[in-house]
Amino acid sequence: MRNDMSVINNILKDVPIPKVVKVRQKFDANRIEDVSEYMKRELRSKGLQQKIKPGMSIAVGAGSRGIDNHKEIVKEVVDFLKECGAEPFVFPAMGSHAGANAQGQKEMLAGYGITEEYLGCPVRATMETVVAGRTEDGLEVYTDLYASQADGIVVINRIKPHTAFRGTYESGLFKMLTIGMGKQRGAKSMHEAGYQYFAERIPLFANIVMRRFPVLFGVGIVENAFDKTAYIEAIPAEQIAEREPELLKMAFSKMAQLYLPETDILIVKEIGKNISGSGMDPNITGRWPSAYASGGLKSQKVGIMRLSELSHGNFMGLGHAEATTRACFDELDFAATYPNALTNTVMFTSRIPVVLDTEKLVIQALINGCVGIDKQMPRMIFIKNTMEMETIYVSEAHLEEVRKIPSLEILEEAEKLKFNEAGECIFNW
C-alpha cells in the first residue's frame, strides 16, 4: 500500500485558511450544587423504603454514557439501599457497548469511577441474558441474567433527546430497561426492524420487562447545556411511564445548541462514546444516522480531529465526517466499535472518512472540497465536542451574523488560526 502523501499535501498546501474569532454561546447554567445531599433527600422523600425489605438482592443498572456526577449518584442509590437493609450490586446496563463483552463493560464503568471499592458493593458484569417475554409479532425481549435473578431492579440514566429518532420516550429509563439491560441480544432485537419503530417499541419492550421482573424505581437525570446535573428525580416504577416524557421535555429545553443555523464547514475537535451514542450529538451537528429525526446545524462538510480518551477506541460517528487525521485513525479500535455497529444496523456511522496527515490538512481539504462557496472567506465553525459548547470559534465570514444574535458574544478579535509543529489546531476553549 502506498502511503506517500506528498502529492496530496502539494494539492492542498496553498488553500487559504480564514481568520477565526472566539465566541461565547450563552446558555442557562442552573445546576444542582451538592448532588450527594440532593440525592439523599430525594431518595428518602418518595416512600421508596416501603418497596425494600431487609435481605433483598437489588440490581442497580449503570450505563455507558459520560454522565455528570455519575458515580456519586450511583453510590447514593447503593447507600440508600444498604440503609434499607438490602444487598445491592451494580451491573452494566449498556447494550452492546464496550466491545459487547463483560470485562469491557466493567472496565467502562471503572473508567467513570464506578468500582467495587468506591461503591462498597459488588459490580457484576455478564453478557448472558434471559428472555423476559415476546411481542405479539414475535420479537424477543431480553434482560441481563444477574438482574433477572435479583429481588429488585433499579435503573439510573440520563434522560435526553435520542440521536436517531423522535418519540414519547427517547434516551432514558425505558430505553435502559430494554436496550441497556438487554445487553447485545436485547439491543439487536430492538434494532432489528429499524429506528422507525423505536418510538412504539421502547415502551412496549419496557412494559414487558416491568411485568416480568420486579423493577422498584428509576433515577432520571437531566443535564443543562453544559452537561452538568440540573435535575434528578427518583421515580417509583409505576410512575416512570408518566414522568419520563415530562423529563424529556425538560431535557429538550435545556440542551446545548449552535445558535448559528448554517455553515460551510464544521470542525469537531473530538468525538467519543462518552460524549454521545453517535460520537457527536446530531441534535447539534445535524449529521443523523437515520431519517427519523432531524434538526441541528446545516453544513456542507464536517471534519473530526480525534477520539476522546474515554471512548477507548470506539469510533462510532466517525462515518459522519468527510475527513479526519492520521492521529485519529491510529486510535481506532475495530473490535470495540463493530459490535455496536452490527447491533444497531447503522453501519455507515463507523465508516472511515478521508485520512490526512494533520489537522491543518483536514481543514484545507474540506475548504477545497466545498462547492459554491467563497473559498477565500469560507464559513466555518469549530467546536471542542458536543458536550462542551459554551466556547466556539467561527471564521470571519460568520461575524456579521454573530453580531445579530443576542445569545452570542464575541470574546476576541479575529486572528489567524494557530497550529503547532505537528499541524494541530491550538484553541483556548
Side-chain angles (χ1 to χ4, degrees), residues 275-413:
I275 295 167
S276 169
S278 295
M280 54 183 185
D281 191 341
N283 290 288
I284 292 170
T285 67
R287 293 294 176 105
W288 294 92
S290 81
Y292 307 103
S294 61
L297 182 72
K298 182 179 179 181
S299 63
Q300 190 174 146
K301 295 285 190 288
V302 171
I304 293 170
M305 300 308 194
R306 66 184 184 215
L307 297 183
S308 68
E309 183 178 350
L310 288 176
S311 198
H312 302 291
N314 188 316
F315 59 96
M316 288 293 292
L318 189 61
H320 289 299
E322 278 74 29
T324 191
T325 64
R326 184 171 297 278
C328 181
F329 177 81
D330 289 342
E331 295 176 356
L332 307 188
D333 187 331
F334 300 98
T337 308
Y338 288 166
N340 202 182
L342 294 171
T343 298
N344 68 26
T345 72
V346 187
M347 298 172 69
F348 79 89
T349 63
S350 54
R351 291 186 302 200
I352 299 171
V354 171
V355 178
L356 296 162
D357 283 341
T358 68
E359 295 183 5
K360 182 178 182 180
L361 285 169
V362 167
I363 293 170
Q364 290 175 305
L366 295 175
I367 296 171
N368 181 77
C370 282
V371 296
I373 71 167
D374 181 352
K375 294 188 179 181
Q376 299 299 313
M377 286 288 286
R379 298 176 302 167
M380 300 186 70
I381 300 175
F382 300 79
I383 66 173
K384 182 178 181 181
N385 57 54
T386 56
M387 287 182 72
E388 300 175 72
M389 294 290 298
E390 182 181 22
T391 302
I392 64 173
Y393 285 79
V394 304
S395 64
E396 279 188 297
H398 274 302
L399 267 181
E400 184 177 347
E401 188 179 4
V402 167
R403 292 189 178 103
K404 295 177 181 178
I405 300 175
S407 297
L408 296 179
E409 177 186 0
I410 297 171
L411 299 178
E412 296 175 357
E413 295 298 318

Side-chain angles (χ1 to χ4, degrees), residues 229-245:
T229 311
Y231 183 78
I232 309 173
E233 185 171 332
I235 312 171
E238 62 274 14
Q239 297 176 20
I240 292 175
E242 176 185 357
R243 286 298 300 153
E244 183 168 340

Side-chain angles (χ1 to χ4, degrees), residues 110-175:
Y112 297 136
I114 301 173
T115 65
E116 294 182 347
E117 293 75 19
Y118 175 74
L119 299 172
C121 76
V123 176
R124 298 175 183 164
T126 181
M127 296 305 293
E128 293 186 53
T129 57
V130 299
V131 176
R134 291 174 175 80
T135 63
E136 290 184 359
D137 56 350
L139 287 176
E140 292 184 318
V141 180
Y142 296 92
T143 295
D144 178 282
L145 175 64
Y146 292 147
S148 75
Q149 296 171 341
D151 300 316
I153 298 171
V154 175
V155 287
I156 303 168
N157 204 14
R158 178 175 55 204
I159 296 172
K160 67 176 294 185
H162 197 268
T163 58
F165 76 98
R166 287 290 171 259
T168 305
Y169 306 92
E170 297 185 18
S171 290
L173 301 177
F174 266 13
K175 182 169 176 282

